[in-house]
Amino acid sequence: MARIVYCTARIDATTNASGHRDQDIYLKALAAAGSVDQIEYGKYVYRVKQAPLATKDSHGRPQLVTPQWPIMVQNGGAPCNSAVFMASFANREEKGSDVNVATHLLIDVLTQTVDAAVVISNDSDLSFPLREARKRVPVGVVNPSRSYLAGDLRGAASEGVGRHWWRQLTQQDFTSHQLSDPTGKYARPVDW
């Protein structure tokens, strides 16, 4: 038996009206096409956070911004080169989707509902449930992002029961596997 569970969070219409509308059409089109068996919802949490101001280094990692002209920090007239610039920012964070993926994976594996599993994610929070699942069934991990596979999601093809595999989706994978347009009564938004 093949079963597809899609774990996501609803975008809030008050903070992102177009994103909410587009996602709503997409989720309805998935259901109309029969592309998923179940949609499991997490939620978005909005908070104001503070963090040191940073830019990306050549590897994409955060590099803290330090005082330099044209913006300097002084203490009593003397340069304070070790100052850290702090920024306050609005943060929208998806919560619960990774827990929902892990829960469905482990329930399906532990109740022997599945003979194998495929998880499409690059969320390192899934490392423990994936390790446990690999002890019991073959597991494929598909990285949907452009970045490298999260190190915690890696493993050996032979660990546990074996026959595990890893793959990264390409732009071609996305463009060649689109829902038909329209799907039922749902058409692709013009701005996509």
Side-chain angles (χ1 to χ4, degrees):
M1 173 182 105
R3 184 168 79 100
I4 298 175
V5 178
Y6 181 54
C7 298
T8 190
R10 284 267 190 191
I11 296 171
D12 180 37
T14 58
T15 59
N16 185 349
S18 66
H20 174 79
R21 182 194 73 239
D22 291 352
Q23 182 191 44
D24 188 59
I25 293 168
Y26 177 67
L27 294 172
K28 288 175 179 174
L30 282 177
S35 296
V36 296
D37 298 296
Q38 181 177 349
I39 300 175
E40 192 72 50
Y41 293 102
K43 61 182 176 179
Y44 276 98
V45 177
Y46 302 97
R47 295 187 178 114
V48 174
K49 289 190 169 188
Q50 295 82 31
L53 189 61
T55 58
K56 291 181 181 179
D57 70 9
S58 61
H59 299 288
R61 296 175 298 219
Q63 179 71 44
L64 294 184
V65 173
T66 56
Q68 56 185 335
W69 288 107
I71 298 176
M72 291 297 295
V73 176
Q74 294 184 350
N75 184 4
C80 187
N81 296 327
S82 62
V84 175
F85 295 108
M86 295 297 292
S88 178
F89 61 97
N91 184 58
R92 179 176 30 199
E93 187 176 1
E94 187 176 353
K95 302 296 280 181
S97 293
D98 55 350
V99 173
N100 291 338
V101 170
T103 302
H104 277 281
L105 173 66
L106 291 177
I107 287 172
D108 288 349
V109 169
L110 295 173
T111 60
Q112 300 178 342
T113 304
V114 298
D115 297 324
V118 176
V119 175
I120 303 172
S121 178
N122 197 31
D123 189 336
S124 61
D125 289 345
L126 296 174
S127 65
F128 179 69
L130 284 168
R131 272 195 322 271
E132 288 302 310
R134 285 185 197 119
K135 292 176 184 177
R136 295 162 176 87
V137 298
V139 177
V141 176
V142 179
N143 177 2
S145 73
R146 292 181 179 172
S147 59
Y148 293 107
L149 179 68
D152 289 344
L153 299 184
R154 294 185 183 124
S158 61
E159 76 179 270
V161 298
R163 300 189 331 257
H164 312 296
W165 52 270
W166 293 261
R167 185 168 192 276
Q168 183 164 12
L169 293 180
T170 64
Q171 184 65 38
Q172 176 64 28
D173 293 324
F174 286 105
T175 56
S176 63
H177 295 89
Q178 298 289 310
L179 291 171
S180 61
D181 187 24
T183 298
K185 63 181 183 177
Y186 304 103
R188 183 176 294 134
V190 176
D191 57 344
W192 276 14

